[in-house]
Amino acid sequence: MNKLTPKEQQIAILVAQGLTNKEIAQRLGSSPFTIRNQVKVIIRKLELKNRIQVAYLIGQYQNGHHQNGHEM
């Protein structure tokens, strides 16, 4: 997960848990717009297409099956 800041890692994990931007914002005391922008940055940094891929990648990483070459 070296490509992501600690904050981005936290957001990526919450995305993987299925939370919406609004729910993530409420948990982190931020605005949904800020979270939306941070999710876009995460997607770009990880060279993915959408938040579903973020969730999948985080799940694989957490389960120790990190095989697709993406460094987080």
Side-chain angles (χ1 to χ4, degrees), residues 48-66:
L48 301 173
K49 295 181 181 178
N50 55 48
R51 67 191 293 131
I52 294 168
Q53 290 183 336
V54 172
Y56 178 79
L57 185 61
I58 295 295
Q60 292 296 302
Y61 185 83
Q62 289 178 334
N63 291 327
H65 298 107
H66 186 250

Side-chain angles (χ1 to χ4, degrees), residues 15 36 39-57 68 70:
V15 166
R36 181 193 69 200
V39 170
K40 286 181 183 180
V41 169
I42 291 165
I43 290 168
R44 183 172 29 92
K45 281 186 174 182
L46 297 179
E47 300 175 20
L48 301 173
K49 295 181 181 178
N50 55 48
R51 67 191 293 131
I52 294 168
Q53 290 183 336
V54 172
Y56 178 79
L57 185 61
N68 64 2
H70 279 42

Side-chain angles (χ1 to χ4, degrees), residues 4 11-12 15 18-19 22 31 50 54 58-59 67 70:
L4 302 181
I11 292 169
V15 166
L19 275 66
K22 184 177 179 180
S31 81
N50 55 48
V54 172
I58 295 295
Q67 301 173 357
H70 279 42

